Amino acid sequence: MDSFFLQLVSGIQEVLAERHLGLLFQVAADVADECAVYRRWWAEHRVDGVLVVDPRTADPRPDLLDELGLPAVVIGGPPDDRHPGLSTVWADDAGAMAALVDGLYARGHRRIAHIAGLPGLAHTERRIRALRAEAERRGLTEVRSVTTDYSDAEGAAATRRVLEGSAPPTALIYDNDVMAVAGVAAAAELGFAVPADVSVVAWEDSALCRIVKPWLSALSRDSVEFGRTAATELTSLLDGARPVRCGCRSPADRTGQHGPGADHLSAGACRTAGARCRVRGPGA
């Protein structure tokens, strides 16, 4: 379980504990298995509601939850009018990517690689589309996304592939902190220094980003509050409230987390993205 989910669960548990509600975890082999779990839980009256994570671009779960009438909050999915019975708590991934690209572009970067997460996940696809749109808007032709399984091994492998190309990127955006740290090590093995030769930005901030030297640039959002919001919306559903679409835009900024002399994105750009960030490193 990565840092984002640990913090998310912590926030969820805080709210549920106030209501003396238990949090049940179930590991599912795949989405089909997860759907079977929902059917069984609802038939056996084992749960009062569910929190759905990692929505897919082609996802059967919302239709099933509508069919069952099972109270549910989808965490990370965009608002969807096709499922008015479900609440949604989402983050502005597109806005965050736009702010990142804007900051990198302003510092001279023209070759950017995005080491993304699992293909098919809704938030992965939103980030990829947003990067492509920002690149097209600026006429950038050497911008790409590479999908992985979020692991350190695949993050390092993807880093090697893009840096060993004929025109290596001068900036790398990683979809989580684990891949970013692994990417820094892989870059060093190839002779690339961070931030002198290549800038690195992690989508999720954590202690890992502050263990490496210099500290990594990172998007920092309050994942605990994200969990609290999701759990609050679920308890509201259980109390008979109408489903809502809630966009979480509560940035948290760690002062100085990117080391001395770091350049800063403007506060306005950060607020637009729903996250605060700093970027350091070379131009193209």
Side-chain angles (χ1 to χ4, degrees), residues 38-232:
Y38 291 151
R39 290 184 182 279
R40 184 170 67 253
W41 279 353
W42 194 234
E44 296 172 354
H45 304 288
R46 294 188 61 189
V47 297
D48 298 304
V50 295
L51 296 157
V52 181
V53 298
D54 286 342
R56 272 67 170 176
T57 51
D59 200 328
R61 293 174 295 176
D63 285 336
L64 173 62
L65 294 169
D66 272 344
E67 173 191 327
L68 296 176
L70 177 56
V73 176
V74 179
I75 300 175
D80 189 345
D81 293 335
R82 295 172 300 174
H83 304 288
L86 306 181
S87 284
T88 302
V89 177
W90 57 277
D92 188 5
D93 290 296
M97 180 62 82
L100 278 180
V101 175
D102 185 61
L104 291 168
Y105 184 85
R107 285 154 186 80
H109 293 281
R110 301 296 182 266
R111 299 192 302 274
I112 302 170
H114 170 214
I115 311 302
L118 287 165
L121 292 183
H123 65 267
T124 300
E125 299 302 327
R126 285 199 302 272
R127 295 172 190 178
I128 290 173
R129 288 195 303 270
L131 177 62
R132 186 182 303 123
E134 290 301 312
E136 290 176 356
R137 187 166 70 86
R138 293 176 172 83
L140 302 179
T141 59
E142 296 181 283
V143 173
R144 61 185 294 204
S145 293
V146 180
T147 56
T148 70
D149 65 359
Y150 282 115
S151 70
D152 58 337
E154 288 208 9
T159 301
R160 294 188 193 99
R161 287 200 303 273
V162 298
L163 290 180
E164 288 174 336
S166 58
T170 63
L172 298 167
I173 301 172
Y174 292 87
D175 264 5
N176 71 8
D177 52 345
V178 172
M179 292 198 297
V181 172
V184 169
E189 292 171 1
L190 297 175
F192 290 84
V194 177
D197 300 318
V198 62
S199 289
V200 170
V201 184
W203 200 275
E204 297 294 343
D205 189 19
S206 75
L208 282 177
C209 296
R210 300 183 295 281
I211 289 173
V212 298
K213 300 298 181 183
W215 292 2
L216 296 185
S217 299
L219 285 176
S220 183
R221 58 181 174 180
D222 193 342
S223 301
V224 175
E225 183 60 29
F226 201 42
R228 292 192 196 103
T229 300
T232 298

Side-chain angles (χ1 to χ4, degrees), residues 242-263:
R242 295 176 62 85
V244 299
R245 277 78 169 131
C246 180
C248 286
R249 301 179 183 181
S250 51
D253 187 18
R254 295 182 179 274
T255 302
Q257 71 181 55
H258 307 302
D263 293 329

